[in-house]
Amino acid sequence: MSGRLMPCSPGEIGALFLFEKLTAEQLGRLCSEGRVELFDPGPVFAEGDPATCFYVMIEGTVIMSRRVGGDDVEVSRTSQSGVYAGAVQAYLGDGKPRGYVNSLRVSEPTRFFVLPADSFSAVMHEWFPMAVHLLEGLFLGTQTTQRAVGQRERLLALGSLSAGLTHELNNPAAAAVRATSTLRDRVAHMRQKLGILASGPYQRESLKSLVDIQDRTAERVAKAQSLSPLEASDREDELADWLEDHGVQGGWQIAPAFVQGGLDVDWLEQVAAAVDTEMLPNAVRWLNYTVETELLMSEIEDSTTRISHLVDAAKQYSQLDRAPYQVADVHELLDSTLLMLSGKMGSRVKVVKEYDRSLPRIPAYPAELNQVWTNLIDNAVSAINSAGGDGTLTVRTALVHDRLLVEFRDTGPGVPAEIRGRIFDPFFTTKPVGEGTGLGLDISWRIVVNKHHGDLKVESVPGDTRFQVLLPLTATDPETGTDTESDPDPAVGSAPAQEPS
């Protein structure tokens, strides 16, 4: 875009605060290499276009805006003479092509002094070499620092998640190893007891009945229901008394396994009726090994299933072997992140899930949303820990107008009003030195707002801080350029569910 050319007066541009210290010769050079243009109301330049010129307003009104998602958001409006915009970084010596970082328009006829980017770079290097070096160090050093700290933060997050996952995997793995060792011992005793039964003076029909009872016992153990501690204690006493009355030595040692396997006195009576009296003690111990074997195999199955779930959660969290952009269920993403961070949260942080399961699946970058959840959950847990370590983290999903809401609410001390407007700024952190990089919320904001065209905001009072992520239900696929809609799941219910964990 260009305006109507106007005469350039060295005296007029020299009155602007940006040029007030320049000599007459320098002002003359600016006028010879630059120009004065008059723009009618409308756009001057657009964000993302090649930054070809440096603009300094002489008179009029300018409006600066930034593109946030699919909208242009006004960030500044002023009538102050001398304000500048455009190719303000043309003098940086990194050799990268630059675009305008914002859009500029005018609301009334406005005059600008316009200097080509190459000329602006040349006069800066010639007239202010020391300032150029300092500004280059500031801009380029900040970018390098931000990249380095960002990588460090991702590595720290990965290390924390790896440590948590290792801790979570260790418990079921150790349980499986322990159960396998015990199972090997029980199977050896079962073989020994089988040899005793086979070599004893027992009728063939009695042995056949015993094998049938063993099969029914295994089925019953598989369907056993949990008892309260009091109920289990009462039943153990009953079984121990029955075993002692029927000549089975050490019945108090056998009774707990029978109770855990769902067996009772009626079942023992069936065993006694099926075998000879002299065979009963050996038969009971044989069946005890059967019960213990079934219980140990169930424990191994539970442990390995737990390991499988943890691996699936890690896979879901990292989104391995999945397309980066896809239609995703935010509840699956939230659950995998909560599971990955459960070791860090510990037992003192209570997690409550208030999910609206009727919400549709949405187009998104799941791995990057998981990074947002991680940052927000980590901040919530840190806030709770700073208030004593006991508190509640509530994760809520809901439909707000035409957007999906994911809210993280914690009972920490809150975010003071005087810093609330800065928490999304890069490198701003309230954590002690060495504990926070100040990039977590900045990265989250950019993922939600820039990449998903959503919104991220915070509401906070002491004891109730809420970070709210609002995501659109539809989006434009970056690969195809076509609109992608949410995917309703007809299998889910329509009422929100509260799921404490």
Side-chain angles (χ1 to χ4, degrees), residues 274-288:
V275 299
D276 299 332
T277 302
E278 63 274 12
M279 184 182 183
L280 182 61
N282 283 329
V284 167
R285 293 192 177 279
W286 156 259
L287 294 176
N288 175 58

Side-chain angles (χ1 to χ4, degrees), residues 332-500:
E332 292 179 358
L333 304 181
L334 289 167
D335 286 340
S336 67
T337 305
L338 287 168
L339 182 56
M340 293 292 289
L341 295 175
S342 59
K344 183 171 185 177
M345 289 186 285
S347 60
R348 300 181 66 182
V349 177
K350 179 183 178 183
V351 178
V352 176
K353 302 175 185 177
E354 295 178 358
Y355 290 171
D356 181 353
R357 293 288 187 178
S358 67
L359 293 174
R361 297 159 63 89
I362 62 171
Y365 294 87
E368 298 195 25
L369 285 183
N370 280 339
Q371 187 176 2
V372 174
W373 312 151
T374 299
N375 292 335
L376 297 181
I377 292 171
D378 181 71
N379 282 352
V381 172
S382 296
I384 292 173
N385 289 336
S386 69
D390 291 302
T392 300
L393 168 64
T394 303
V395 183
R396 181 171 73 95
T397 62
L399 185 65
V400 177
H401 303 300
D402 60 345
R403 295 193 291 183
L404 188 149
L405 167 70
V406 181
E407 180 182 78
F408 299 86
R409 184 168 72 244
D410 69 73
T411 56
V415 181
E418 59 270 18
I419 67 170
R420 208 169 296 159
R422 302 176 56 201
I423 59 175
F424 296 111
D425 293 348
F427 302 108
F428 179 79
T429 179
T430 59
K431 297 178 181 178
V433 175
E435 293 187 16
T437 61
L439 287 177
L441 290 179
D442 170 57
I443 291 171
S444 299
W445 192 90
R446 286 190 278 116
I447 290 173
V448 172
V449 177
N450 293 348
K451 201 150 191 179
H452 288 85
H453 301 172
D455 194 12
L456 174 58
K457 54 187 180 180
V458 61
E459 298 176 358
S460 182
V461 295
D464 186 1
T465 297
R466 306 182 184 205
F467 280 89
Q468 298 174 328
V469 178
L470 291 160
L471 299 169
L473 300 180
T474 60
T476 300
D477 190 327
E479 300 296 331
T480 65
T482 58
D483 288 342
T484 304
E485 296 186 357
S486 58
D487 179 19
D489 186 351
V492 300
S494 59
Q498 181 166 324
E499 307 170 14

Side-chain angles (χ1 to χ4, degrees), residues 93-108:
D94 56 2
K96 293 182 180 179
R98 300 191 178 277
Y100 294 117
V101 296
N102 45 46
S103 297
L104 191 72
R105 60 188 175 92
V106 297
S107 58
E108 61 177 323

Side-chain angles (χ1 to χ4, degrees), residues 293-312:
T293 300
E294 291 295 323
L295 292 174
L296 288 168
M297 287 192 293
S298 295
E299 184 177 347
I300 294 172
E301 182 181 17
D302 290 342
S303 299
T304 52
T305 299
R306 171 69 174 166
I307 293 172
S308 178
H309 286 168
L310 286 167
V311 172
D312 287 343

